[in-house]
Amino acid sequence: MTRISLLLTPVIIVGVAIILAILNLSTPPTSALHVSDFVIGLAGKYLCYAMLALAVDLVWGFAGILTLGHAAFFALGGYCMGMYLTREIGARGVYANADLPDFMIFIGWKQLPWYWHGFSHLPFAILMALIVPGVLAAVFGFAAFRSRVGGVYLSIITQALTYALLLAFFRNDMGFGGNNGMTDFKDIGGFPLDRSSTTTTLMVLSAIFTALSFLFARWLVRSRYGKVLVAVRDAESRTRFLGYRPEYYKLVLWTLSAMIAGIGGALYVPQVGIINPGEFAPANSIEAVIWVAVGGRGTLSGAILGAVLVNFGKTVLTGVMPGAWLYALGGLFILVTLFLPRGIMGTFAKRIVGAALPNAGQPQGLAAIDTEAADLHEAGADVETPA
């Protein structure tokens, strides 16, 4: 990761979002410079996907954890926001019942389940969008990493996790709308969702949270903790031999990554207007991995770029040839693997900037750990330095 990408990435993300918002709100629809609400909605959706890609890149690019289930955390954050938006409908639903959502009345529920209480308040829903994915990730990660499950086995388990959640949320008796999920949202925080001002505000907020997530992730991987993570990725046994506990390093990163994905999901739902079990589909998690591979694994900014580019291509291609998208996506992954193994940003940094990724000029991974171990040894600490 270069200093150029560090400076430019947040500026470009927020700057482009603000320009789009200004062009949407300050120009008449007849103007050639006018940006439609449809484009604003697409931009907001891409930015939410970018947060999911960033979360995947954190665990895959810097800890070597190939996750095929991160869409589950994204969807859980989305469901937390969906519950709030459903409660906001109040008596404006089909059955005009302020106490129960329409889908609960339809299937004969008489009272609101206990886990719905509190979701009448936006701050509570945002907090839950962080906590729920975080807690699930912590429990799952604690069991998996302490058991030293890794590699392809861990990837399969993560996919099984999201598939199990998909099946669970399909059930009407779960109280989340079953197959249809939740939709027909009216407003958020008292602001109607069908207004351009609300749509653009959500898009700009998505850009701000994406930029903040990028800066946080960048700070995390540049810290001493991040250097240990890279060492765990490159040689876990050797890192453990040096006295570190890789499972706890991976657990913290896994949990933080899930929380970033959860916030992305919470911002996604009010902009697309629906949340249903389809968001747990394993294919969504695999797509997120492809976004990261295209943009550049272990670059962070590349993950954001890959999410935006691939989804823009999806929007265009599904509008022209809907049936060809999956073939195109598979072909793209093969081409990137064969000809761009570093992804777009990785290749750009190597050939144009001349920087070896990540963090050129600084000891990384095992080199950083060996340096740190040598320093501790010189200071008299009881640490074995590698031969």
Side-chain angles (χ1 to χ4, degrees):
M1 187 189 316
T2 66
R3 291 183 182 277
I4 296 177
S5 69
L6 169 65
L7 295 174
L8 287 183
T9 302
V11 172
I12 291 175
I13 292 171
V14 178
V16 170
I18 291 175
I19 291 172
L20 290 176
I22 291 173
L23 292 177
N24 173 262
L25 296 175
S26 63
T27 57
T30 55
S31 171
L33 295 177
H34 181 72
V35 175
S36 67
D37 290 347
F38 175 73
V39 173
I40 294 295
L42 279 181
K45 189 170 74 170
Y46 294 165
L47 288 167
C48 295
Y49 286 151
M51 293 184 69
L52 174 59
L54 200 60
V56 171
D57 194 26
L58 263 180
V59 296
W60 187 30
F62 296 92
I65 305 169
L66 177 55
T67 171
L68 298 179
H70 251 53
F73 306 126
F74 185 83
L76 286 174
Y79 263 96
C80 290
M81 182 57 70
M83 291 166 75
Y84 159 73
L85 295 172
T86 301
R87 295 289 290 147
E88 274 286 285
I89 296 173
R92 292 171 291 175
V94 175
Y95 297 101
N97 190 319
D99 298 324
L100 287 178
D102 284 344
F103 70 85
M104 290 186 185
I105 298 173
F106 182 75
I107 59 177
W109 288 42
K110 302 301 182 187
Q111 62 182 10
L112 198 68
W114 63 268
Y115 46 84
W116 273 75
H117 292 292
F119 281 96
S120 300
H121 309 285
L122 180 58
F124 181 82
I126 295 173
L127 186 64
M128 288 297 106
L130 276 170
I131 291 177
V132 173
V135 168
L136 176 64
V139 172
F140 175 87
F142 183 79
F145 299 138
R146 272 188 63 87
S147 303
R148 301 189 183 182
V149 178
V152 67
Y153 300 106
L154 182 61
S155 300
I156 293 172
I157 292 176
T158 57
Q159 194 156 62
L161 170 70
T162 192
Y163 190 67
L165 288 170
L166 167 72
L167 296 178
F169 275 74
F170 261 120
R171 296 166 58 94
N172 282 326
D173 55 6
M174 285 285 288
F176 296 110
N179 182 39
N180 295 321
M182 293 174 254
T183 187
D184 194 28
F185 306 132
K186 308 294 185 188
D187 49 43
I188 178 170
F191 298 97
L193 285 169
D194 56 358
R195 283 188 185 171
S196 297
S197 57
T198 307
T199 307
T200 52
T201 300
L202 287 170
M203 188 268 294
V204 172
L205 282 176
S206 301
I208 292 173
F209 274 96
T210 303
L212 291 176
S213 300
F214 169 80
L215 292 173
F216 171 73
R218 201 266 182 184
W219 167 80
L220 194 67
V221 300
R222 292 271 296 179
S223 65
R224 174 179 292 186
Y225 167 80
K227 293 174 182 176
V228 176
L229 279 174
V230 176
V232 171
R233 179 195 67 188
D234 293 343
E236 182 170 338
S237 299
R238 189 174 177 184
T239 308
R240 189 186 305 279
F241 175 75
L242 289 170
Y244 293 93
R245 299 292 298 271
E247 60 270 24
Y248 294 131
Y249 282 85
K250 291 195 288 188
L251 177 60
V252 171
L253 186 71
W254 178 260
T255 304
L256 292 174
S257 168
M259 295 170 79
I260 291 174
I263 287 296
L267 287 165
Y268 172 81
V269 170
Q271 296 183 81
V272 300
I274 187 171
I275 179 70
N276 61 37
E279 297 298 335
F280 289 102
N284 292 353
S285 297
I286 296 172
E287 277 198 32
V289 170
I290 295 176
W291 304 339
V292 176
V294 170
R297 175 191 172 196
T299 62
L300 296 180
S301 55
I304 297 173
L305 179 66
V308 173
L309 288 180
V310 174
N311 281 289
F312 176 73
K314 181 178 183 179
T315 301
V316 173
L317 192 58
T318 51
V320 179
M321 300 173 62
W325 168 243
L326 289 179
Y327 298 102
L329 186 66
L332 178 65
F333 185 64
I334 293 172
L335 289 175
V336 167
T337 303
L338 292 177
F339 301 109
L340 283 176
R342 290 174 179 266
I344 296 172
M345 286 301 294
T347 304
F348 173 80
K350 182 182 178 184
R351 295 185 179 180
I352 306 300
V353 181
L357 294 176
N359 303 326
Q362 299 183 20
Q364 293 295 317
L366 284 174
I369 296 303
D370 289 345
T371 301
E372 186 175 324
D375 292 342
L376 291 172
H377 183 71
E378 288 178 5
D382 185 18
V383 175
E384 292 186 57
T385 53

